[in-house]
Amino acid sequence: MRPENESIVTEFILRGFTTDKDLQVLLFIIFILIYGLALMGNVSILVIICMDSCLHTPMYFFLGCLAVLDFGFSTTSTPKMLIDMLSERKVISFFDCITQLFFYVGFGGTEFFLLAVMAYDRYVAICNPLHYSLTMTMSLAIYLVAVAFFGGFLNSLIDAVCFLQLSFCGPNIIDHFMCDYPVLLNLSCTDFTMTELVRIVCALFVMLSSLILVLISYFYILVAVLKIRTSAGRRKAFSTCVSHFICVSLFYGAILFIEVQRNSSTSHEKDKVVAVFSTVLIPVLNPMIYSLRNQDMKEALRKVLSRAIVFQ
């Protein structure tokens, strides 16, 4: 007899979006363009922040870290999805599946915590503007980002360890374009009750703890803004938070929608659509939101472009 935790299945088959070859080619063209825009947008933000000394502040340090996370979050699944669209046999090994799941959950969890850190940064900037430079130092910013990464990947490590306790005896078909935890649990031939409980507890802790921090920060920001007597002052204060608030709404909205739909019998197709939104579209939208609404980023972009033209 095999040990209980030994997996017979060594690879999984990913169904992807469709079996229609013409549609697969069309989707490949669409997604590779979107992925290219995501890479270009996030790398551009990193280059602009690094090249412009005026942006060497905690606020833009956090934005640079968000660009890194968006790049990583998208890259965990999109390249594999693009390759599978042009492949006859869409398979992923057991090890690659765990690796993909580890980085997907890790980058996602870190982004939750980073968005909470960015909300706290905006709270300090608006509620205590005179003490902002003394409170939010670069050393503190680096520490907060390190804590965000530690929390996100600790959650991911716990998920990976739990996943390794399961055995898979077949079938090995995943009705998704990537390794998705709930689908994998349903393919397991061992009792996954405790594993699922641990996953849910960890996921709820990450999402709710970060969401509570975001809501508390924005509550105090709203109170502070309403105390500003001039409409111009209120608009200026709100404008510093709008980009972050939109990014928070998109990211939390997509992930929470996925979790709510888990119990639906028709959730697989919805999961795919929302997973594409969170892993492919959001990494494109975040750079656009911050670049188009931020005057400092626009000015820095002009400087970088002007330097490039001069060098040419």
Side-chain angles (χ1 to χ4, degrees):
M1 292 181 66
R2 293 178 179 270
E4 186 179 357
N5 65 345
E6 182 178 343
S7 298
I8 300 174
V9 171
T10 58
E11 63 181 20
F12 296 99
I13 299 173
L14 299 167
R15 281 186 175 175
F17 291 97
T18 178
T19 56
D20 188 319
K21 292 185 178 180
D22 292 333
L23 184 56
Q24 285 181 353
V25 173
L26 177 61
L27 290 174
F28 175 83
I29 295 172
I30 293 172
F31 285 132
I32 198 169
L33 289 174
I34 296 174
Y35 182 60
L37 288 174
L39 297 187
M40 185 173 64
N42 287 293
V43 170
S44 297
I45 282 184
L46 287 173
V47 171
I48 291 169
I49 292 174
C50 290
M51 292 185 65
D52 195 327
S53 58
C54 295
L55 301 182
H56 294 175
T57 63
M59 175 182 173
Y60 292 102
F61 173 68
F62 294 140
L63 180 56
C65 292
L66 181 64
V68 171
L69 288 175
D70 281 336
F71 170 81
F73 196 54
S74 180
T75 303
T76 56
S77 60
T78 307
K80 173 62 178 171
M81 176 182 68
L82 292 172
I83 292 171
D84 285 346
M85 286 180 180
L86 301 180
S87 303
E88 288 293 331
R89 193 161 179 262
K90 304 171 177 59
V91 299
I92 185 170
S93 69
F94 186 82
F95 175 78
D96 288 344
C97 191
I98 295 175
T99 303
Q100 185 185 73
L101 196 63
F102 174 77
F103 283 103
Y104 176 77
V105 175
F107 283 124
T110 303
E111 187 154 341
F112 274 116
F113 288 127
L114 182 63
L115 290 172
V117 168
M118 294 173 76
Y120 173 71
D121 175 67
R122 292 299 82 205
Y123 155 74
V124 176
I126 292 175
C127 297
N128 298 287
L130 298 178
H131 299 90
Y132 177 76
S133 58
L134 296 175
T135 303
M136 188 56 69
T137 61
M138 279 303 299
S139 58
L140 177 60
I142 293 171
Y143 172 77
L144 291 174
V145 169
V147 170
F149 270 90
F150 176 79
F153 278 92
L154 177 62
N155 172 53
S156 179
L157 180 62
I158 293 172
D159 276 4
V161 170
C162 291
F163 181 74
L164 288 171
Q165 305 306 309
L166 302 175
S167 61
F168 297 88
C169 312
N172 64 336
I173 299 175
I174 299 176
D175 188 14
H176 212 297
F177 63 85
M178 59 178 288
C179 287
D180 190 35
Y181 212 117
V183 178
L184 289 169
L185 288 178
N186 290 329
L187 294 179
S188 172
C189 55
T190 54
D191 182 19
F192 57 82
T193 304
M194 186 56 65
T195 302
E196 175 71 347
L197 179 61
V198 172
R199 187 196 76 85
I200 291 174
V201 170
C202 290
L204 286 176
F205 174 78
V206 171
M207 287 188 290
L208 293 180
S209 62
S210 57
L211 181 59
I212 289 170
L213 291 174
V214 169
L215 293 176
I216 292 174
S217 297
Y218 271 102
F219 171 77
Y220 283 106
I221 288 172
L222 181 61
V223 171
V225 169
L226 292 177
K227 290 181 180 179
I228 299 175
R229 295 182 179 180
T230 64
S231 58
R234 286 195 293 271
R235 281 196 300 271
K236 183 178 179 180
F238 272 126
S239 66
T240 64
C241 301
V242 169
S243 298
H244 177 262
F245 184 76
I246 294 173
C247 291
V248 167
S249 300
L250 289 173
F251 190 71
Y252 277 86
I255 301 299
L256 290 175
F257 183 83
I258 290 175
E259 294 302 322
V260 168
Q261 292 295 323
R262 292 297 189 195
N263 295 325
S264 171
S265 59
T266 59
S267 66
H268 291 313
E269 295 304 319
K270 293 179 182 178
D271 278 358
K272 294 177 189 177
V273 173
V274 181
V276 166
F277 184 76
S278 62
T279 59
V280 181
L281 293 180
I282 287 181
V284 175
L285 295 174
N286 282 350
M288 293 175 61
I289 292 168
Y290 274 99
S291 299
L292 295 176
R293 295 197 56 86
N294 191 299
Q295 293 299 323
D296 291 336
M297 288 294 295
K298 290 180 184 178
E299 184 61 31
L301 179 59
R302 291 192 194 99
K303 290 179 183 178
V304 171
L305 292 176
S306 62
R307 288 177 189 172
I309 293 172
V310 169
F311 284 130
Q312 287 180 351

